[in-house]
Amino acid sequence: MLICAAGVPVTLAALAVILRKTPPQMNIYKWIIVNLTVTTFVTDFTICFLFDSLPLFPDIACYSKAWLPNVSEDANYIMLCVCIIMLQMTLCSTLVAFIYRMQALGHAVGPFPNMTGFGTFIMALITYFLGLIPVIVILITSYNSPLQMRKTLEHFPDLKFLENYGSYLVAEKDDKKFIEFAAVWLGSAFIIVGLCMVVATIIITNLHKRRKSMSSRSLELHRSLTIHLILQ
């Protein structure tokens, strides 16, 4: 929570630098980075400050002492959905930034031979659509009502204290909905991360091949931006 609070001025300072110091020729990339920075911060703030979930390993259960996740019986699940979607948006934003960096080099190769024919907006829209829709669908279909969770809680005497909270999440380890949710969400997340690594490899390979034909300043800029995205 303290880290989130400390991140506010840092994020604002970063946004100020991006908006004021980005050269005109990088205008599109500027807004991609702004989007990535804001999305990442909002995701961290939501997870660590608004939700502040406390998992109960090895059981599949969690609760929160924060106010917002306890305003109603479904509040924990709603907050979980928001956090998952924000995480996916962060991953998608990173992938969009990677693809744009690949486009900036020109002559894209590898698994995205036709991507440069798309506008940046269309490319981003497709990325977000493919990254978010499966997760949103599985979140909707995986919903368990508070009544169902209360029945599940009866099988876990050690978790009876959860009844003292306005909202909580609990599931059996062999719960089909939970297994499907985990498979779809983690599968989607790892696919996006994998695509980021593929695009990063393409960028690094192209930079290596074209290092003699590029100015040292341009090469250093591309390298720096790629390294920052990889760290992200």
Side-chain angles (χ1 to χ4, degrees), residues 72-212:
S72 71
E73 288 189 311
D74 284 322
N76 248 280
Y77 191 73
I78 293 172
M79 290 302 301
L80 174 68
C81 292
V82 171
C83 291
I84 295 296
I85 291 171
M86 290 304 301
L87 280 170
Q88 285 295 109
M89 289 183 66
T90 300
L91 290 174
C92 290
S93 298
T94 306
L95 180 57
V96 167
F98 265 117
I99 294 175
Y100 185 80
R101 290 272 17 104
M102 182 178 68
Q103 290 179 325
L105 283 172
H107 308 294
V109 295
F112 305 102
N114 299 318
M115 188 60 71
T116 52
F118 288 87
T120 303
F121 176 77
I122 300 299
M123 176 265 292
L125 192 63
I126 292 173
T127 303
Y128 279 106
F129 181 83
L130 295 178
L132 290 174
I133 293 302
V135 174
I136 292 174
V137 170
I138 199 63
L139 284 171
I140 294 172
T141 58
S142 298
Y143 171 75
N144 279 333
S145 68
L147 178 60
Q148 290 173 304
M149 282 190 278
R150 281 196 293 270
K151 290 180 179 179
T152 302
L153 192 61
E154 294 175 359
H155 302 155
F156 300 95
D158 293 343
L159 300 180
K160 284 292 184 179
F161 72 94
L162 292 177
E163 294 177 344
N164 299 323
Y165 291 88
S167 180
Y168 55 85
L169 297 174
V170 62
E172 300 276 3
K173 291 184 178 179
D174 58 350
D175 187 295
K176 183 180 178 182
K177 288 184 177 180
F178 175 78
I179 295 172
E180 290 175 349
F181 158 73
V184 172
W185 174 45
L186 292 177
S188 175
F190 279 115
I191 287 173
I192 295 174
V193 171
L195 289 174
C196 286
M197 298 311 298
V198 168
V199 178
T201 302
I202 293 172
I203 293 172
I204 293 171
T205 302
N206 280 348
L207 285 175
H208 180 72
K209 289 179 179 179
R210 300 170 60 181
R211 65 188 185 281
K212 294 182 179 179

